[in-house]
C-alpha cells in the first residue's frame, strides 16, 4: 500500500475515534440531566424539606397543616407525621411507593374512605385511626409485607367488609387494633404472628370455638364493651391461647368468669363492670403467675373458699363496687389476707352487711371473725357463737360448666347422690327437718319455674337441686345451688321448654363438726314440674290474667260509667243553656225592633239603625251627639190606642258628620246630599208636624 493511503486511513480512524468519544460524553451528560430532573421532581435531593413541613433528620413533620395532598418528601424520610390534615385517598401520590426508607406513617384523623394503596412496602407501623375506612382488601394489605403494627381504631370496618384471608400476606403483623368499629364477630384469618389484639367497643356477641385458632403467640386480648354473655362463648374459646398474659372482658354481660381460662401465663385479668353474681370454685386454679385481678363493679356478695389458693403472685386485688356480705362465709378470705400481709394490695373490700359491720374493711374484722368456728382450713360458713357474725349462704361448686341464667351448673363428683326416681312424683319426703318441709313448684313460662317452700324450723341454708329428665345423674350434670335460710322462694331460669324436671331441696342443719353448710343425711324433698311449649299459650297464666281482669272489671266499669254520665250531663247542660240564651235574645230583639208587635212590617229593622249610626243595646236605642233616644215600652203594659198624639221630629246631627239621608239613586255629582244644607235646598223643612 502506498504511503499516502496509509496516512489517509489513519486520519479517518482518528476522526472516527473522536466522534465516538464525543457521543459517549453526550450520552453521559443526558443521563446526568435526566437523573437531576427526576431528583428535582420527586424531592430535589436528600436535603430538601417541603416548605409546609418541618424536617429533623429522618423525621418529617407535616401534621396539623391542613394539607389535602402529601407533598414531595426527601429520600431520607423514615417517619412521616401526616395526622390531623384533610388528606383523602386521592391525596396519596404514587411516588410515595418509591420511598423505601419510610418505616412509620401517621395518617390518623384524615379523610380516608378506603385503605390507602400507594404506601411504601418498607412500612413497619401504620396509624389510620379516626378515618372512615370501610373495608380491608387483601390486595392493599399485600403491598405491606413487612407491616408489624396496624392501628385501625375509630373507623367503619365491619366483619363482612374484611376480605377473606385479608392478612394472609402479612406474616410479621404483631399488633392489630380494631377498637370502636362495627364488628359483630371475631375477624377470621388473623395471622399466627399476632401478639396483641384489641377489639373493644364493637358489637361482638358470640365467640365460637375456632375464633382464636392458630393464635398461639397472642399475649394481650382486649374485648371490652361488647355484648358477650356466658351462653354465647364456647367452652374452649380461651383455652387455645396458651401464651396469653392479659385478658380484658370489661363492660360485658358475664354472670361468671368464662370457662377454661388460660392459666399458665396469665398475669392480668380484668372482669369489672359485668353482672358477676358468683365466681365458681376452681375458676382461678393454676394461675400462679396472676399479678392483677379486677372484679370491681359487679354483684358479688361472697367468694368460695379456696378460690385464691393458687394465686401465689397476686399483687393487686380490686373488688370495689360489690355488695360484700362479711359473715363467716368470708372467714377464709380474712385469714388469707392476713397471711399474705403487705404483699397484696386490696382495694374496695368493704362490707355492706350485716348492719353491724357496714362500711368496715374485711381485713379489720379480726374480733368478729374470731367468733366463727373453723379457720382458713375450715368450712365455708362455720357455726355462729356468742354474738358473732351470722352465716351467709355460700354457693358450692366443683367444676365450671356454663351457667344457667344467674345460676351455675355442677358436674357431680358423687355418683351416689340420692336423687328421686324419675318415674315418680315426690310432693313431700324425708325425715327430721325434711319431714316438715313443704315444696311447691309452678311453671311460669316455657323456660322458668317458680319454687316456694315452707318449713316451721329455721335452717342456715337449703340445697336446691334440679335435673332434667332423660339425663342420667351418674354421668350427666346436676344443677344445684345454696339458698340462704331466710328465703322462701326461688326462680329457675334458662330451662329447656317442653321438658320435665325433678326439683329437690334439702335443709342443711348446722353442726359443730361439719359447719353450717355441711352435707345433710336428710332425704331430699322433691317435686316434679314440666315446662310448657313456647308455641302454646300458658293456660294457668291466662286464667290468672283473666281473673285479674274480671276482678278489675267492676271498678273500671264504675269509673267509666260515672265519667260518661258526668260528661253527658255537662253536654246537656251546655246545650240547654245555649238554647235558652238564644230564645231569650230572639224575644228581646223582636220587642225592641218591632213596634206594637206588628212584626217586621210595622217597625224598623236592626240594619236601619246600623246604617244611621245607632248602637244597639238590650234596653235602649240611642243616637249619640245631637239627637234623641227611644226607650221601648215594657211588655207588661197593655196597648191603649190614643186618639191623638203630637210628635216633633227635629233634624238629627250625628257626631261623625255624615248624612242621614240615603238616596236610592246615585248622585255622584251633587255634593249637597252629603251635608245638612241639602235638606233645605231640597225643599225639606227643618220641622214638620205629624199627626196620628
Amino acid at each position: 500500500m502506498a504511503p499516502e493511503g496509509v496516512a489517509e486511513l489513519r486520519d479517518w480512524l482518528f476522526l472516527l475515534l473522536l466522534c465516538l468519544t464525543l457521543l459517549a460524553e453526550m450520552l453521559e451528560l443526558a443521563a446526568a440531566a435526566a437523573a437531576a430532573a427526576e431528583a428535582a421532581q420527586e424531592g430535589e435531593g436528600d436535603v430538601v424539606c417541603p416548605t409546609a413541613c418541618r424536617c429533623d433528620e429522618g423525621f418529617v413533620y407535616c401534621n396539623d397543616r391542613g394539607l389535602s395532598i402529601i407533598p414531595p418528601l426527601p429520600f431520607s424520610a423514615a417517619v412521616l407525621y401526616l395526622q390531623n390534615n384533610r388528606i383523602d385517598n386521592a391525596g396519596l401520590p404514587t411516588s410515595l411507593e418509591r420511598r423505601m426508607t419510610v418505616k412509620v406513617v401517621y395518617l390518623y384523623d384524615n379523610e380516608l374512605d378506603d385503605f390507602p394503596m400507594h404506601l411504601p412496602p418498607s412500612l413497619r407501623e401504620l396509624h389510620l385511626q379516626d378515618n372512615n375506612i370501610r373495608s380491608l382488601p387483601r390486595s392493599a394489605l399485600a403491598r405491606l409485607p413487612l407491616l408489624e403494627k396496624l392501628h385501625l381504631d375509630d373507623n367503619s370496618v365491619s366483619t363482612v367488609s374484611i376480605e377473606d384471608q385479608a392478612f394472609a400476606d402479612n406474616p410479621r403483623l404483631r399488633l392489630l387494633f380494631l377498637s370502636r368499629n362495627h364488628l359483630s364477630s371475631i375477624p377470621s384469618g388473623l395471622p399466627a404472628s399476632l401478639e396483641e389484639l384489641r377489639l373493644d367497643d364493637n358489637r361482638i356477641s358470640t365467640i365460637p370455638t375456632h375464633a382464636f385458632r392458630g393464635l398461639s403467640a397472642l399475649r394481650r386480648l382486649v374485648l371490652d364493651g361488647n355484648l358477650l354473655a356466658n351462653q354465647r362463648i364456647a367452652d374452649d374459646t380461651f383455652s387455645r391461647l396458651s401464651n396469653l398474659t392479659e385478658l380484658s372482658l370489661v363492660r360485658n354481660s358475664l354472670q361468671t368468669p368464662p370457662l377454661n381460662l388460660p392459666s399458665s401465663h396469665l398475669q392480668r385479668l380484668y372482669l369489672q363492670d359485668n353482672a358477676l353474681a358468683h365466681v365458681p370454685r376452681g375458676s382461678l386454679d393454676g394461675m400462679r403467675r396472676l399479678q392483677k385481678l379486677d372484679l370491681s363493679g359487679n354483684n358479688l356478695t361472697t367468694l368460695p373458699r379456696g378460690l385464691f389458693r393458687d394465686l401465689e403472685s397476686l399483687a393487686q386485688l380490686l373488688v370495689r363496687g360489690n355488695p360484700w356480705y362479711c359473715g363467716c362465709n368470708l372467714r377464709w378470705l380474712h385469714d388469707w389476707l392476713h397471711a399474705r400481709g403487705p404483699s397484696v394490695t386490696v382495694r374496695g373490700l368493704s362490707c355492706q352487711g350485716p348492719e353491724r359491720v357496714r362500711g368496715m374493711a374485711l381485713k379489720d374484722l379480726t374480733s368478729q371473725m374470731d367468733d366463727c368456728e373453723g379457720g382458713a382450713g375450715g368450712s365455708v360458713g362455720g357455726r355462729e357463737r356468742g354474738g358473732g357474725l351470722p352465716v351467709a349462704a355460700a354457693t358450692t361448686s366443683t367444676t365450671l360448666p356454663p351457667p344457667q341464667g344467674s345460676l351455675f351448673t355442677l358436674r357431680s363428683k358423687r355418683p351416689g347422690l340420692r336423687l328421686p326416681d324419675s318415674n315418680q312424683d315426690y310432693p313431700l319426703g324425708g325425715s327430721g327437718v325434711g319431714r316438715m318441709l313443704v315444696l311447691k313448684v309452678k311453671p311460669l313460662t316455657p323456660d322458668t319455674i317458680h319454687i316456694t317452700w315452707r318449713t316451721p324450723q329455721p335452717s342456715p341454708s337449703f340445697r336446691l337441686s334440679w335435673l332434667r329428665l332423660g339425663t342420667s345423674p351418674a354421668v350427666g350434670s346436676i344443677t344445684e345451688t345454696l339458698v340462704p335460710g331466710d328465703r322462701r322462694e326461688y326462680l329457675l331460669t334458662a330451662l329447656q321448654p317442653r321438658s320435665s324436671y325433678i326439683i329437690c331441696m334439702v335443709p342443711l342443719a348446722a353442726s359443730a363438726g361439719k359447719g353450717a353448710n355441711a352435707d345433710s343425711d336428710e332425704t331430699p324433698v322433691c317435686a316434679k314440674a314440666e315446662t310448657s311449649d313456647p308455641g302454646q299459650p300458658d293456660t294457668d297464666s291466662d286464667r290468672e290474667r283473666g281473673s285479674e281482669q274480671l276482678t278489675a272489671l267492676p271498678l273500671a266499669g264504675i269509673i267509666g260509667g260515672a265519667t260518661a254520665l258526668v260528661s253527658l250531663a255537662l253536654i246537656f247542660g251546655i246545650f240547654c243553656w245555649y238554647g235558652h240564651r238564644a230564645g231569650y235574645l230572639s224575644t228581646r230583639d223582636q220587642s225592641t225592633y218591632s213596634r206594637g208587635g206588628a212584626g217586621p212590617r210595622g217597625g224598623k229593622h236592626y240594619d236601619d239603625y246600623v246604617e244611621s249610626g245607632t248602637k244597639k243595646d238590650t234596653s235602649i236605642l240611642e243616637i249619640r251627639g245631637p239627637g234623641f233616644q227611644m226607650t221601648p215600652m215594657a211588655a207588661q203594659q197593655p196597648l191603649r190606642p190614643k186618639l191623638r198624639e203630637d210628635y216633633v221630629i227635629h233634624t238629627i246631627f250625628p257626631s261623625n258628620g255624615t248624612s242621614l239621608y240615603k238616596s236610592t239613586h246615585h248622585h255622584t255629582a251633587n255634593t249637597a246630599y252629603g251635608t245638612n244644607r241639602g235638606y233645605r235646598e231640597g225643599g225639606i223643612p227643618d220641622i214638620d208636624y205629624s199627626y196620628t
Side-chain angles (χ1 to χ4, degrees):
M1 180 180 294
E4 294 82 2
V6 173
E8 185 178 358
L9 180 60
R10 185 177 65 245
D11 293 339
W12 281 106
L13 291 175
F14 178 77
L15 290 174
L16 181 60
L17 182 61
L18 182 60
C19 292
L20 292 175
T21 303
L22 292 175
L23 181 61
E25 291 292 335
M26 292 178 62
L27 292 176
E28 186 177 356
L29 290 174
E38 183 178 1
Q41 180 180 1
E42 296 184 357
E44 299 184 2
D46 295 340
V47 296
V48 177
C49 182
T51 56
C53 307
R54 181 176 63 87
C55 302
D56 185 6
E57 294 183 353
F59 297 87
V60 180
Y61 299 93
C62 297
N63 54 296
D64 300 280
R65 302 295 201 277
L67 302 176
S68 59
I69 187 173
I70 299 177
L73 301 172
F75 283 102
S76 61
V79 181
L80 304 181
Y81 293 94
L82 299 166
Q83 68 270 19
N84 298 324
N85 284 291
R86 297 195 300 269
I87 301 173
D88 55 9
N89 290 88
L92 275 71
T94 57
S95 61
L96 191 61
E97 294 180 287
R98 294 189 288 271
R99 293 293 184 266
M100 303 303 295
T101 58
V102 176
K103 300 295 189 298
V104 182
V105 173
Y106 292 90
L107 271 170
Y108 62 84
D109 198 7
N110 277 281
E111 298 179 0
L112 299 174
D113 293 327
D114 298 308
F115 195 90
M117 297 291 292
H118 305 296
L119 294 175
S122 59
L123 205 60
R124 303 291 199 278
E125 185 175 344
L126 179 58
H127 294 259
L128 295 173
Q129 307 97 299
D130 291 295
N131 281 280
N132 194 30
I133 298 175
R134 302 185 183 91
S135 61
L136 296 180
R138 180 177 179 178
S139 58
L141 289 167
R143 295 170 176 262
L144 308 173
L146 304 179
L147 189 63
E148 298 178 0
K149 299 180 181 180
L150 178 58
H151 297 260
L152 285 167
D153 313 79
D154 298 284
N155 280 280
S156 302
V157 180
S158 61
T159 303
V160 296
S161 65
I162 301 178
E163 188 177 346
D164 190 27
Q165 301 297 322
F167 303 97
D169 299 317
N170 305 101
R172 297 189 179 186
L173 189 63
R174 296 186 294 106
L175 184 146
L176 178 59
F177 284 8
L178 283 167
S179 306
R180 294 174 296 278
N181 278 275
H182 301 159
L183 300 176
S184 58
S185 61
I186 307 296
S188 60
L190 296 175
S193 58
L194 206 60
E195 297 180 3
E196 183 173 355
L197 178 61
R198 291 190 61 115
L199 301 173
D200 47 305
D201 294 299
N202 280 278
R203 305 170 185 173
I204 300 174
S205 59
T206 303
I207 303 181
T209 305
H210 58 80
F212 303 114
R213 182 177 300 170
L215 301 182
S216 57
L218 192 64
R219 300 176 61 84
R220 186 168 185 251
L221 177 60
V222 180
L223 293 168
D224 300 350
N226 281 282
L227 306 175
L228 297 175
N230 294 90
Q231 295 85 351
R232 297 187 180 95
I233 300 178
D235 293 353
D236 298 329
T237 295
F238 300 105
S239 61
R240 303 173 182 271
L241 306 176
S242 56
N243 291 314
L244 196 67
T245 60
E246 180 179 335
L247 176 61
S248 184
L249 294 167
V250 181
R251 292 182 288 110
N252 281 281
S253 301
L254 301 176
Q255 297 170 352
T256 61
L259 305 179
N260 303 324
L261 292 177
S263 58
S264 57
H265 295 88
L266 195 62
Q267 298 178 7
R268 293 172 296 276
L269 178 59
Y270 301 96
L271 296 171
Q272 64 265 34
D273 297 324
N274 277 275
L276 298 182
H278 174 70
V279 180
R281 185 185 306 167
S283 300
L284 308 178
D285 286 354
M287 298 185 184
R288 304 186 185 278
R289 299 186 181 183
L290 190 66
Q291 300 175 4
K292 185 176 182 179
L293 174 62
D294 197 339
L295 297 172
S296 305
N298 286 285
N299 195 29
L300 296 171
T301 58
T302 186
L303 294 174
R305 179 176 57 88
L307 180 66
F308 298 158
R309 60 188 176 188
D310 291 338
L311 305 186
E312 302 172 354
S313 304
L314 189 64
Q316 284 184 298
L317 177 61
L318 308 178
V319 291
R320 59 171 55 92
N322 287 281
W324 296 111
Y325 189 89
C326 300
C328 294
N329 54 304
L330 290 181
R331 167 69 185 271
W332 73 270
L333 183 57
H334 172 271
D335 295 343
W336 183 85
L337 292 175
H338 279 274
R340 292 295 301 269
S343 62
V344 58
T345 301
V346 182
R347 295 285 185 269
L349 193 50
S350 179
C351 302
Q352 300 298 320
E355 188 65 30
R356 68 184 68 178
V357 296
R358 180 184 296 272
M360 298 178 62
L362 177 66
K363 196 173 183 180
D364 299 336
L365 301 181
T366 303
S367 59
Q368 290 85 350
M369 289 298 176
D370 288 341
D371 295 330
C372 298
E373 292 187 356
S379 63
V380 177
R383 190 177 62 182
E384 178 184 7
R385 291 188 312 176
L389 296 174
V391 178
T395 312
T396 61
S397 62
T398 54
T399 58
L400 300 173
Q404 266 192 25
S406 60
L407 308 175
F408 54 95
T409 306
L410 307 176
R411 291 198 183 276
S412 176
K413 289 187 176 180
R414 301 171 295 170
L417 179 65
R418 297 187 305 275
L419 284 176
D421 188 357
S422 303
N423 298 323
Q424 300 181 13
D425 196 5
Y426 295 84
L428 295 173
S431 60
V433 179
R435 290 197 193 98
M436 292 168 285
L437 179 67
V438 179
L439 181 66
K440 295 182 180 181
V441 296
K442 180 180 180 180
L444 296 181
T445 63
D447 59 350
T448 59
I449 295 178
H450 185 239
I451 305 172
T452 58
W453 62 90
R454 291 185 292 106
T455 176
Q457 297 184 5
S459 179
S461 60
F462 300 91
R463 177 183 291 115
L464 180 63
S465 307
W466 63 95
L467 173 69
R468 187 165 67 95
L469 296 185
T471 303
S472 174
V475 297
S477 296
I478 304 168
T479 309
E480 66 177 16
T481 186
L482 291 184
V483 184
D486 56 347
R487 292 186 58 177
R488 291 296 180 267
E489 62 178 353
Y490 201 90
L491 182 65
L492 299 183
T493 60
L495 302 177
Q496 294 291 333
R498 295 180 298 178
S499 302
S500 299
Y501 285 87
I502 295 283
I503 301 169
C504 300
M505 177 171 284
V506 178
L508 301 179
S511 61
K514 297 182 180 179
N517 290 336
D519 292 341
S520 175
D521 292 333
E522 298 288 341
T523 302
V525 179
C526 301
K528 184 178 179 181
E530 294 184 1
T531 55
S532 60
D533 188 352
Q536 298 179 356
D538 191 351
T539 56
D540 294 339
S541 60
D542 290 344
R543 283 197 296 268
E544 292 180 359
R545 286 193 294 268
S547 62
E548 293 176 357
Q549 293 174 359
L550 291 176
T551 303
L553 183 59
L555 181 60
I558 292 173
I559 296 175
T563 304
L565 289 176
V566 171
S567 302
L568 290 176
L570 182 61
I571 294 173
F572 184 74
I574 293 173
F575 179 77
C576 293
W577 175 84
Y578 180 78
H580 177 72
R581 184 71 176 171
Y584 177 75
L585 292 177
S586 177
T587 304
R588 297 302 300 267
D589 291 343
Q590 291 180 3
S591 64
T592 302
Y593 299 110
S594 300
R595 297 183 180 180
R601 293 183 180 181
K604 282 183 172 290
H605 293 283
Y606 172 74
D607 294 339
D608 298 335
Y609 292 98
V610 172
E611 292 177 359
S612 300
T614 61
K615 179 180 179 182
K616 175 181 176 295
D617 192 87
T618 57
S619 59
I620 63 174
L621 293 174
E622 64 177 354
I623 300 177
R624 300 185 184 275
F628 67 95
Q629 66 179 10
M630 299 176 65
T631 303
M633 297 172 59
Q636 292 80 7
Q637 296 179 1
L639 299 177
R640 298 178 181 179
K642 296 182 179 181
L643 298 177
R644 179 173 180 177
E645 290 184 1
D646 296 340
Y647 289 91
V648 179
I649 301 176
H650 294 272
T651 304
I652 301 173
F653 300 95
S655 59
N656 53 10
T658 57
S659 173
L660 294 178
Y661 175 75
K662 185 173 183 179
S663 175
T664 57
H665 303 282
H666 299 281
H667 300 282
T668 57
N670 191 354
T671 59
Y673 287 96
T675 63
N676 190 46
R677 185 176 298 175
Y679 289 103
R680 297 185 180 91
E681 294 178 357
I684 300 175
D686 291 341
I687 299 176
D688 277 341
Y689 293 92
S690 175
Y691 305 94
T692 58

